Amino acid sequence: MIVGIPKETFPGQKQVAIVPDGVAALKKAGLEIMLEAGAGNEAGYPDELYKEKGAQLAGSRAEVFQRSDIILQVQAFGANPEKGMEDLELTHEGQAVVAFLDPLSTAESVKKLAERRLKAFAMELMPRITKAQSMDALSSLATVAGYKAVLIAADNLPRMFPMMMTAAGTVSPARAFVIGAGVAGLQAIATAKRLGAVVLAYDVRPAVKEQVESLGGKFIELELETDESEDKSGYAKAMGEEFYRKQREMMTKVVAENHVVITTAAVPGKKAPILITAEMVKGMIPGSVIVDLAAERGGNCELTRAGETVVSHGVTIIGPINLPATIPYHASQMYSKNISTFLLHLVKEGELVIDLSDEITSETLLTMNGEVLNPLVREILGIPALEKKKEEQ
Ligand code: NAD
């Protein structure tokens, strides 16, 4: 079987789905790799490196799609609204596609993938179970974003992060407050700490206190009822407006005392809760910076605008989007590991084997044999649920 790696076409997306080091592992499993020439260039992986690892180079994008049994991408079809659907006519029946596909926001595009009789796997639907940890591209993205958020904050702050004792006097360290200590938040804590800031953090899941402390951060205790804050998969549950009101009230002082606030608080499938109001921004030290990593999910700060920088009362509020694309070398390396581990999970003796009793397969597989399989996408499209259909038969 041939695995095709086309060049990414989403504007500003410099990553590549498989890095040269990933080629060997796939070849070992009996797969051939075909790369669209130049696909790795912008991430720092020239064609020669792929050739050295035994990948074939295709002269055109059409050739990659035509000859490959499986296409691996970072952002494809629905996840690339301007250009992604142009690839549809290059695909052929039975071809498998593995990529971020943004299926829940672009359900219509999933229908088109089904009509083309593709086997489409959405990386964002990877179940967050221990077995799938090394395939979880969202965690990789969050890691990169958490790191980069701190660099952006440092770059925009009119202060230095570390304490310095110099002949010109002592420079006091910056104080950083990280809200939400999941994958991105923990990486932000570690990075801010390495840069020398005094780091505080808060999360509704009390279980993360130890992790925050192990990175040298101080966990803020708020007198909030958080017993019911975590679901059985370890994710935050939506807490209700009264809880968020109390949380904002209790955090006002902490937010006002810190120079940098990095927000990463999210609840799966829900709009991010507003944890910093415009009024709270007013109370912050002039020159302070908020980097809102929840910007794409609605933002944790009332004033955040996704993809923009807003200055209010001397406070800079940054809502960055697609940060991993700004660190394409390592973001690609991590994604390559995630997607190849996933592919190797699906491939048995050089063939793609689809076992729907396997949770990793059934959760990620969106379309097969002309049908949309994902229950949420079916619901959005108004297609009856599959189980119900079986009962009717
Ligand atoms: P996320 O991006 O959904 O949320 C980020 C953080 O925001 C979470 O820690 C959440 O508790 C927190 N949060 C939500 N509401 C908040 C509020 N009001 N105030 C403060 N914080 C709030 O989460 P994530 O980073 O993707 O992961 C969360 C958990 O899932 C972690 O424990 C992580 O280890 C686990 N996880 C497991 C796997 C796996 O096993 N394969 C993969 C990824 C993550």
Side-chain angles (χ1 to χ4, degrees):
M1 276 201 314
I2 298 181
V3 176
I5 320 293
K7 194 169 162 49
E8 293 297 313
T9 56
F10 184 84
Q13 178 54 279
K14 296 179 179 171
Q15 294 177 71
V16 58
I18 292 287
V19 300
D21 276 345
V23 173
L26 296 178
K27 282 188 77 90
K28 211 168 138 202
L31 303 168
E32 286 304 318
I33 313 301
M34 176 170 282
L35 181 88
E36 180 179 348
N41 275 353
E42 286 193 284
Y45 303 101
D47 291 347
E48 293 70 53
L49 293 182
Y50 286 91
K51 270 203 270 181
E52 276 168 26
K53 300 284 180 183
Q56 304 172 44
L57 284 188
S60 70
R61 187 174 192 83
E63 188 187 351
V64 178
F65 275 90
Q66 199 175 34
R67 296 195 37 209
S68 302
D69 303 285
I70 302 167
I71 294 286
L72 302 184
Q73 276 194 258
V74 183
Q75 282 170 282
F77 301 108
N80 180 6
E82 275 176 39
K83 296 221 141 225
M85 295 318 269
E86 288 175 13
D87 288 332
L88 202 62
E89 61 185 41
L90 303 178
T91 61
H92 52 82
E93 184 174 341
Q95 195 166 37
V97 180
V98 190
F100 279 114
L101 295 169
D102 202 5
L104 300 181
S105 314
T106 63
E108 281 299 328
S109 73
V110 179
K111 197 168 148 198
K112 294 202 173 98
L113 299 179
E115 283 162 7
R116 288 292 287 195
R117 303 186 76 79
L118 300 176
K119 299 182 191 93
F121 293 89
M123 286 299 280
E124 54 269 81
L125 298 183
M126 190 61 67
R128 299 202 128 184
I129 52 175
T130 310
K131 214 170 96 182
Q133 228 159 7
S134 54
M135 310 173 199
D136 185 8
L138 286 179
S139 286
S140 299
L141 297 187
T143 302
V144 178
Y147 163 79
K148 188 71 189 251
V150 175
L151 301 191
I152 292 174
D155 197 22
N156 282 277
L157 194 69
R159 298 169 172 264
M160 293 193 276
F161 263 44
M163 185 179 95
M164 286 182 201
M165 308 245 244
T166 77
T170 301
V171 170
S172 57
R175 289 191 300 272
F177 179 36
V178 178
I179 306 176
V183 182
L186 290 172
Q187 195 51 240
I189 293 166
T191 307
K193 200 66 205 164
R194 283 186 207 114
L195 277 182
V198 173
V199 185
L200 307 178
Y202 177 71
D203 196 295
V204 273
R205 295 179 301 119
V208 301
K209 179 174 190 269
E210 253 175 59
Q211 295 171 37
V212 170
E213 287 171 349
S214 74
L215 294 169
K218 182 172 184 295
F219 191 80
I220 296 291
E221 309 271 359
L222 302 180
E223 276 176 35
L224 286 164
E225 189 48 67
T226 53
D227 287 354
E228 298 285 309
S229 62
E230 192 165 317
D231 70 12
K232 60 181 188 323
S233 343
Y235 277 101
K237 286 204 257 178
M239 300 299 282
E241 197 32 51
E242 180 55 16
F243 179 94
Y244 294 133
R245 192 192 58 74
K246 273 199 200 144
Q247 183 181 351
R248 285 193 292 265
E249 200 179 294
M250 290 179 176
M251 283 193 331
T252 298
K253 191 163 172 279
V254 190
V255 168
E257 285 170 353
N258 280 272
H259 307 114
V260 168
V261 179
I262 295 182
T263 63
T264 76
V267 177
K270 297 252 166 26
K271 194 177 166 294
I274 295 285
L275 302 175
I276 303 179
T277 57
E279 199 54 34
M280 287 162 83
V281 170
K282 237 193 226 177
M284 290 176 75
I285 304 160
S288 297
V289 177
I290 298 175
V291 180
D292 191 345
L293 286 188
E296 273 169 289
R297 291 181 273 190
N300 287 141
C301 174
E302 196 181 354
L303 301 177
T304 298
R305 285 213 294 268
E308 291 181 32
T309 296
V310 176
V311 179
S312 174
H313 295 280
V315 177
T316 305
I317 302 133
I318 305 169
I321 49 174
N322 209 359
L323 283 182
T326 66
I327 308 186
Y329 183 90
H330 279 130
S332 300
Q333 181 187 310
M334 293 166 89
Y335 187 74
S336 172
K337 181 70 186 168
N338 296 141
I339 200 167
S340 58
T341 309
F342 176 44
L343 186 58
L344 295 177
H345 174 78
L346 300 173
V347 168
K348 310 268 172 321
E349 292 169 13
E351 293 299 321
L352 191 67
V353 178
I354 297 196
D355 170 10
L356 287 176
S357 68
D358 168 57
E359 188 182 356
I360 296 175
T361 309
S362 63
E363 294 272 318
T364 50
L365 184 60
L366 285 177
T367 63
M368 188 168 69
N369 298 335
E371 191 148 44
V372 175
L373 300 181
N374 182 279
L376 286 173
V377 179
R378 289 181 77 93
E379 202 181 310
I380 298 168
L381 291 170
I383 310 174
L386 274 171
E387 284 79 2
K388 208 166 150 215
K389 233 175 96 183
K390 268 184 209 140
E391 279 163 24
E392 283 165 7
Q393 280 166 359

